[in-house]
Amino acid sequence: MTTRTPLMAGNWKMNLDYKEGLALVESLGEALKGVDESTVEAAVIPPFVDLRTAQTSIATNAFPLALGAQDLSEHVGTGAYTGEISGQMLAALDVTYVLVGHSERREYHREGEAVTNRKVNSAIAAGLTPILCVGEGLDERKAGKQIEYTVAQLEGGLEGLSAEDARRVVIAYEPVWAIGTGEVATPEDAQEVCGAIRETLAALYDQGVAQAVRVLYGGSVKSSNVAEIMAQPDVDGALVGGASLKAEEFAKIVRFADAA
Ligand code: PEP
């Protein structure tokens, strides 16, 4: 019997300025009022410049929403790192989660295993929960190498982390071919790799860590397909891109259990 609370996290990417972001937080917060936070956790992950406004709105209205950031510096604290935002700065804004290793960072910003691993460590040092994103591209999927590719990214991202710190990480399995394409992995595809991720956590650490860590699925998740994905035993939530930009749609995703 698992005690993992499902997490539905909305990655806004480079969308919505702070006023538009505020409007979305307000309508989403209203739509989620009454949600039992012990049964599902919802998080919004806006651009950096929206965070302060979102934080204030969530706190003032007591919305059942956690806050996440899309990236953080590998450097800790403060320093001469022009353009960077540290984990400590995010923590001061009541940020709980931070994406690390998203495929768009890996592709467009050449972030590989070493920097991803350093960012996981920076997040942990700041008391944040990293959402470590892993997942294969179309070539690896066609070659049947989705598990070995994804597991290698997982091992790289977690390298050197203690069991205690690893427990605090959330893993998001996002097959790159399913992100923003409308292509969704079948529930069985999602389960296959999410299950392999959990087995890897047990091998790297122990069953306690493997059973504690939440493994999310991401890639064209919508209200119409979330329930079947969530029915898989090793899927503990969703990382949602496009569908998180509409309050009503994302609220339905968070409330997936009501529809079941
Ligand atoms: C993402 O970028 O993390 C994502 C899952 O996007 P989408 O839901 O739009 O496929």
Short mmCIF file of all heavy atoms in Angstrom, two decimals, residues 11 13 99 102-104 133 174 178-183 217-222 239-244, ligand 1:
data_model
loop_
_atom_site.label_atom_id
_atom_site.label_comp_id
_atom_site.label_asym_id
_atom_site.label_seq_id
_atom_site.Cartn_x
_atom_site.Cartn_y
_atom_site.Cartn_z
N ASN A 11 3.86 23.03 -15.80
CA ASN A 11 5.04 23.77 -16.28
C ASN A 11 4.58 24.76 -17.36
O ASN A 11 4.25 24.36 -18.47
CB ASN A 11 6.05 22.76 -16.85
CG ASN A 11 7.21 23.43 -17.54
OD1 ASN A 11 7.45 24.63 -17.38
ND2 ASN A 11 7.97 22.65 -18.32
N LYS A 13 6.31 26.92 -18.87
CA LYS A 13 7.38 27.25 -19.84
C LYS A 13 7.47 28.77 -20.04
O LYS A 13 7.15 29.52 -19.11
CB LYS A 13 7.16 26.51 -21.16
CG LYS A 13 6.91 25.02 -20.93
CD LYS A 13 7.00 24.22 -22.18
CE LYS A 13 6.66 22.78 -21.86
NZ LYS A 13 6.91 21.88 -22.96
N LEU A 99 12.27 22.47 -11.46
CA LEU A 99 12.56 21.52 -12.54
C LEU A 99 14.07 21.49 -12.78
O LEU A 99 14.73 22.53 -12.81
CB LEU A 99 11.88 21.95 -13.84
CG LEU A 99 10.36 22.01 -13.86
CD1 LEU A 99 9.86 22.46 -15.23
CD2 LEU A 99 9.76 20.65 -13.51
N HIS A 102 15.07 19.31 -17.55
CA HIS A 102 13.98 19.22 -18.53
C HIS A 102 14.58 19.07 -19.93
O HIS A 102 15.63 19.64 -20.23
CB HIS A 102 13.10 20.48 -18.45
CG HIS A 102 11.84 20.34 -19.24
ND1 HIS A 102 11.78 20.53 -20.60
CD2 HIS A 102 10.57 20.02 -18.85
CE1 HIS A 102 10.54 20.33 -21.01
NE2 HIS A 102 9.79 20.01 -19.97
N SER A 103 13.90 18.32 -20.78
CA SER A 103 14.47 18.04 -22.11
C SER A 103 14.74 19.32 -22.90
O SER A 103 15.65 19.37 -23.73
CB SER A 103 13.54 17.12 -22.90
OG SER A 103 12.29 17.73 -23.07
N GLU A 104 13.96 20.39 -22.62
CA GLU A 104 14.21 21.65 -23.34
C GLU A 104 15.49 22.32 -22.83
O GLU A 104 16.17 23.01 -23.60
CB GLU A 104 12.97 22.56 -23.22
CG GLU A 104 11.83 22.01 -24.07
CD GLU A 104 10.44 22.37 -23.60
OE1 GLU A 104 10.28 23.28 -22.77
OE2 GLU A 104 9.49 21.72 -24.08
N CYS A 133 13.93 15.61 -14.46
CA CYS A 133 13.25 15.13 -15.67
C CYS A 133 14.19 14.23 -16.47
O CYS A 133 15.34 14.59 -16.71
CB CYS A 133 12.84 16.31 -16.54
SG CYS A 133 11.79 17.50 -15.70
N GLU A 174 9.59 11.77 -18.88
CA GLU A 174 9.00 12.48 -20.01
C GLU A 174 9.64 12.00 -21.31
O GLU A 174 10.74 12.47 -21.67
CB GLU A 174 9.23 13.98 -19.87
CG GLU A 174 8.64 14.59 -18.62
CD GLU A 174 8.34 16.06 -18.83
OE1 GLU A 174 9.27 16.83 -19.11
OE2 GLU A 174 7.16 16.42 -18.74
N ALA A 178 6.96 12.71 -26.86
CA ALA A 178 5.55 12.93 -26.46
C ALA A 178 5.33 14.33 -25.89
O ALA A 178 4.23 14.65 -25.46
CB ALA A 178 5.13 11.88 -25.44
N ILE A 179 6.38 15.17 -25.87
CA ILE A 179 6.23 16.50 -25.26
C ILE A 179 5.78 17.52 -26.30
O ILE A 179 6.46 17.74 -27.30
CB ILE A 179 7.55 16.96 -24.60
CG1 ILE A 179 7.88 16.06 -23.42
CG2 ILE A 179 7.45 18.41 -24.16
CD1 ILE A 179 9.12 16.43 -22.67
N GLY A 180 4.61 18.09 -26.06
CA GLY A 180 4.09 19.15 -26.92
C GLY A 180 3.72 18.67 -28.31
O GLY A 180 3.48 19.47 -29.21
N THR A 181 3.65 17.37 -28.51
CA THR A 181 3.40 16.83 -29.84
C THR A 181 1.97 16.30 -29.99
O THR A 181 1.54 16.01 -31.11
CB THR A 181 4.34 15.65 -30.14
OG1 THR A 181 4.11 14.65 -29.13
CG2 THR A 181 5.79 16.07 -30.11
N GLY A 182 1.29 16.14 -28.87
CA GLY A 182 -0.02 15.49 -28.92
C GLY A 182 0.12 13.97 -28.87
O GLY A 182 -0.85 13.25 -28.67
N GLU A 183 1.35 13.46 -29.06
CA GLU A 183 1.61 12.01 -28.94
C GLU A 183 1.69 11.67 -27.46
O GLU A 183 2.48 12.28 -26.73
CB GLU A 183 2.97 11.65 -29.54
CG GLU A 183 3.07 11.70 -31.03
CD GLU A 183 2.37 10.54 -31.68
OE1 GLU A 183 2.27 9.46 -31.07
OE2 GLU A 183 1.87 10.75 -32.80
N TYR A 217 4.60 11.15 -14.72
CA TYR A 217 4.68 11.00 -16.17
C TYR A 217 4.41 12.36 -16.80
O TYR A 217 3.56 13.12 -16.31
CB TYR A 217 3.65 9.98 -16.69
CG TYR A 217 3.58 10.05 -18.21
CD1 TYR A 217 4.57 9.44 -18.97
CD2 TYR A 217 2.59 10.79 -18.86
CE1 TYR A 217 4.56 9.56 -20.36
CE2 TYR A 217 2.58 10.91 -20.23
CZ TYR A 217 3.58 10.30 -20.98
OH TYR A 217 3.58 10.44 -22.34
N GLY A 218 5.11 12.69 -17.87
CA GLY A 218 4.84 13.94 -18.58
C GLY A 218 4.93 13.73 -20.08
O GLY A 218 5.79 12.99 -20.57
N GLY A 219 4.04 14.38 -20.80
CA GLY A 219 4.04 14.30 -22.26
C GLY A 219 2.61 14.30 -22.76
O GLY A 219 1.95 13.28 -22.74
N SER A 220 2.13 15.51 -23.13
CA SER A 220 0.78 15.66 -23.70
C SER A 220 -0.32 15.11 -22.79
O SER A 220 -1.31 14.54 -23.28
CB SER A 220 0.71 15.04 -25.09
OG SER A 220 1.62 15.69 -25.97
N VAL A 221 -0.15 15.29 -21.47
CA VAL A 221 -1.21 14.88 -20.54
C VAL A 221 -2.35 15.88 -20.61
O VAL A 221 -2.15 17.09 -20.66
CB VAL A 221 -0.67 14.78 -19.09
CG1 VAL A 221 -1.81 14.58 -18.09
CG2 VAL A 221 0.36 13.67 -18.97
N LYS A 222 -3.58 15.36 -20.65
CA LYS A 222 -4.80 16.20 -20.70
C LYS A 222 -5.82 15.58 -19.74
O LYS A 222 -5.64 14.45 -19.27
CB LYS A 222 -5.41 16.18 -22.11
CG LYS A 222 -4.46 16.59 -23.22
CD LYS A 222 -5.24 16.72 -24.52
CE LYS A 222 -4.95 15.72 -25.60
NZ LYS A 222 -3.69 15.16 -25.82
N LEU A 239 3.53 15.72 -14.96
CA LEU A 239 4.14 17.02 -15.27
C LEU A 239 3.46 17.46 -16.56
O LEU A 239 3.54 16.75 -17.57
CB LEU A 239 5.65 16.89 -15.43
CG LEU A 239 6.42 18.19 -15.71
CD1 LEU A 239 6.15 19.25 -14.64
CD2 LEU A 239 7.93 17.91 -15.76
N VAL A 240 2.77 18.58 -16.48
CA VAL A 240 1.86 18.98 -17.56
C VAL A 240 2.35 20.29 -18.16
O VAL A 240 2.57 21.26 -17.42
CB VAL A 240 0.43 19.17 -17.00
CG1 VAL A 240 -0.55 19.48 -18.12
CG2 VAL A 240 -0.01 17.94 -16.21
N GLY A 241 2.49 20.36 -19.46
CA GLY A 241 2.89 21.60 -20.12
C GLY A 241 1.67 22.35 -20.63
O GLY A 241 0.96 23.03 -19.87
N GLY A 242 1.38 22.18 -21.92
CA GLY A 242 0.31 22.94 -22.58
C GLY A 242 -1.01 22.98 -21.82
O GLY A 242 -1.63 24.04 -21.69
N ALA A 243 -1.44 21.83 -21.31
CA ALA A 243 -2.76 21.77 -20.66
C ALA A 243 -2.78 22.48 -19.30
O ALA A 243 -3.85 22.65 -18.71
CB ALA A 243 -3.20 20.31 -20.50
N SER A 244 -1.61 22.92 -18.82
CA SER A 244 -1.60 23.62 -17.53
C SER A 244 -1.83 25.12 -17.70
O SER A 244 -1.91 25.86 -16.72
CB SER A 244 -0.28 23.38 -16.79
OG SER A 244 0.79 24.09 -17.40
C1 PEP B 1 6.57 19.31 -20.50
O1 PEP B 1 7.16 20.11 -21.20
O2 PEP B 1 7.04 19.03 -19.38
C2 PEP B 1 5.33 18.70 -21.01
C3 PEP B 1 4.96 17.57 -20.49
O3 PEP B 1 4.67 19.37 -22.01
P1 PEP B 1 3.26 18.95 -22.69
O4 PEP B 1 2.32 18.55 -21.60
O5 PEP B 1 2.82 20.18 -23.41
O6 PEP B 1 3.57 17.80 -23.61
#
